[in-house]
Amino acid sequence: MTILRVAGLSAGYGEIDIIRDMNLTVGDREIVTIAGTNGAGKSTLVKAIMGLTPRCAGTLAFDGHDLLRRAPEDRIALGISYVPQVANVFAPLTVTENLQVVENVRDKKARMREMFELFPALAERRRAAAGSLSGGERQQLAFARALMPSPKMMLLDEPTAALSPALVRQVFELIVSLPAHGVAALVVEQRARQSLEISDRGYILDSGRIVLDGAARELLGNDQMAKHYLGRA
């Protein structure tokens, strides 16, 4: 079942369209990677889906709801969570406080217990300021915050940026686990090859447009595409 449907989507800042005529879908509990060149519009795409671009036109529907005129908080209430590349936790607040401030949670105490069971490293540091966490722990907290409202889909913008290879593996393991929790994932990644290896499907962007899409296995097996777009592993 398709939960996100994007058709003819254009978005940008001022008078400039960063992305143009985008068409893509995400299925229920599906992992989809968005890859492409630097400046191709990958982050702008997820921001447009989240309602964070000042200008957006086209068709944007989630779980049967028209998103185009809805505020970001309304999109969260419908079941979309967003983990930005930077500023994805409140550094001065403790781990517990970062989870407590999340809205749209039915039983916050019970949900926090679930997050600490899912992320035992966070349970051990629940009283620590988020700013004191390691890079991997901070990403775990960002994921836990995004999972608190029991979303149907997570938008992940460069979740492995600036992490060591060991921590990169941990983040990809977290992404792989999302469908088991009933969550689909739309992942923007510079480590496109690794991301496609854990994905069901992928879309390749170049200069604000989708130039190729298909099953992740097919994209990985396309030598010409790999040479130009997959980059580092």
Side-chain angles (χ1 to χ4, degrees):
M1 181 184 75
T2 297
I3 59 169
L4 177 71
R5 187 175 300 278
V6 176
L9 185 70
S10 297
Y13 309 88
E15 298 299 317
I16 300 174
D17 279 338
I18 304 298
I19 58 173
R20 296 177 295 281
D21 198 28
M22 291 270 180
N23 297 285
L24 64 89
T25 61
V26 176
D28 182 38
R29 306 187 187 202
E30 188 178 38
I31 300 174
V32 176
T33 285
I34 303 293
T37 55
N38 288 332
K42 301 184 297 294
S43 293
T44 298
L45 172 61
V46 293
K47 288 177 181 176
I49 295 169
M50 200 64 221
L52 299 174
T53 54
R55 188 167 48 77
C56 190
T59 299
L60 189 55
F62 178 75
D63 201 23
H65 300 276
D66 181 5
L67 295 183
L68 209 57
R69 295 172 182 81
R70 293 180 184 265
E73 57 268 27
D74 296 330
R75 303 182 194 207
I76 294 171
L78 288 173
I80 303 175
S81 283
Y82 173 52
V83 179
Q85 181 178 349
V86 296
N88 54 20
V89 298
F90 296 113
L93 302 184
T94 67
V95 168
T96 296
E97 289 167 341
N98 264 272
L99 301 181
Q100 286 175 330
V101 299
V102 178
E103 300 293 335
N104 300 301
V105 182
R106 186 169 299 175
D107 186 339
K108 194 168 289 189
K109 289 184 178 180
R111 191 62 176 156
M112 287 175 64
R113 286 196 298 270
E114 291 175 4
M115 291 301 101
F116 285 136
E117 289 173 4
L118 186 60
F119 302 102
L122 297 182
E124 295 176 4
R125 304 208 60 193
R126 67 181 69 195
R127 295 181 179 83
S132 71
L133 301 180
S134 68
E137 290 169 339
R138 188 175 296 204
Q139 280 298 76
Q140 287 186 43
L141 179 55
F143 271 67
R145 279 176 46 82
L147 286 169
M148 277 289 288
S150 301
K152 297 174 184 176
M153 182 179 72
M154 285 175 60
L155 305 175
L156 306 172
D157 191 0
E158 302 285 2
T160 69
L163 295 181
S164 69
L167 294 179
V168 166
R169 287 192 295 272
Q170 289 181 24
V171 170
F172 281 127
E173 287 170 3
L174 288 175
I175 297 171
V176 168
S177 73
L178 292 177
H181 298 281
V183 184
L186 184 62
V187 188
V188 166
E189 253 302 330
Q190 284 293 331
R191 290 179 171 87
R193 190 181 301 276
Q194 284 177 273
S195 190
L196 283 168
E197 286 172 352
I198 65 161
S199 297
D200 299 292
R201 293 187 300 112
Y203 292 86
I204 309 300
L205 273 59
D206 194 350
S207 302
R209 296 184 184 274
I210 294 171
V211 294
L212 196 62
D213 68 273
R217 184 178 301 177
E218 294 174 356
L219 295 178
L220 286 166
N222 185 322
D223 292 340
Q224 190 69 13
M225 189 278 300
K227 177 181 177 181
H228 287 92
Y229 297 112
L230 291 192
R232 58 189 174 133

